[in-house]
């Protein structure tokens, strides 16, 4: 049940960000729901591989390269999910930062992550 709530919250946040942020386009709630699921799967399976492969760069940049990895995950998601598009790398970077911040806030409000 906890996972279902997190997916629904993430899909709502994707819709909210797409509404206010130029350069991010989502066709509807169903697409946002698919985006939330695909982002979760990419974060589980692909992101750890990218983090390990880019560990030296991440250490040199004091962890800031993880933001680039997050943006790449968003861009990969746009290639997988039809109806979801992000115009540029910089838009994906800002989108990933805003989504992460809002997810942290919502997890704090809902009492998750303890």
């Amino acid at each position: 049940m906890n996972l279902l709530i997190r997916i629904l919250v993430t899909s709502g946040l994707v819709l909210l960000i797409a509404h206010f942020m130029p350069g991010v386009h989502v066709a509807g709630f169903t697409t946002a729901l698919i985006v939330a699921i695909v982002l979760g799967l990419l974060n589980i399976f692909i992101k750890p591989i990218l983090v390990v492969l880019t560990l030296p760069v991440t250490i040199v940049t004091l962890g800031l390269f993880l933001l680039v990895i997050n943006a790449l995950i968003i861009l990969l998601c746009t290639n997988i999910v039809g109806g979801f598009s992000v115009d540029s790398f910089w838009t994906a970077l800002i989108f990933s930062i805003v989504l992460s911040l809002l997810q942290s806030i919502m997890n704090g409000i809902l009492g998750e992550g303890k």
Side-chain angles (χ1 to χ4, degrees), residues 17-114:
I17 296 168
H19 182 70
F20 288 108
M21 187 175 193
V24 178
H25 311 284
V26 179
F29 182 75
T30 306
T31 304
L33 192 61
I34 294 169
V35 167
I37 293 169
V38 169
L39 279 177
L41 291 173
L42 289 173
N43 282 330
I44 290 171
F45 294 111
I46 303 298
K47 188 176 179 181
I49 296 169
L50 291 175
V51 168
V52 169
L53 290 176
T54 61
L55 192 58
V57 178
T58 303
I59 291 171
V60 169
T61 61
L62 303 176
L64 290 177
F65 194 74
L66 292 174
L67 297 173
V68 172
I69 293 174
N70 286 340
L72 292 175
I73 294 290
I74 297 292
L75 290 174
L76 183 60
C77 186
T78 63
N79 291 331
I80 295 172
V81 179
F84 174 63
S85 65
V86 178
D87 289 345
S88 68
F89 172 80
W90 297 108
T91 306
L93 183 70
I94 295 169
F95 177 82
S96 70
I97 292 170
V98 171
L99 182 62
S100 296
L101 289 173
L102 290 177
Q103 282 178 327
S104 295
I105 291 169
M106 291 306 294
N107 285 340
I109 291 172
L110 296 175
E112 297 177 9
K114 292 181 182 177

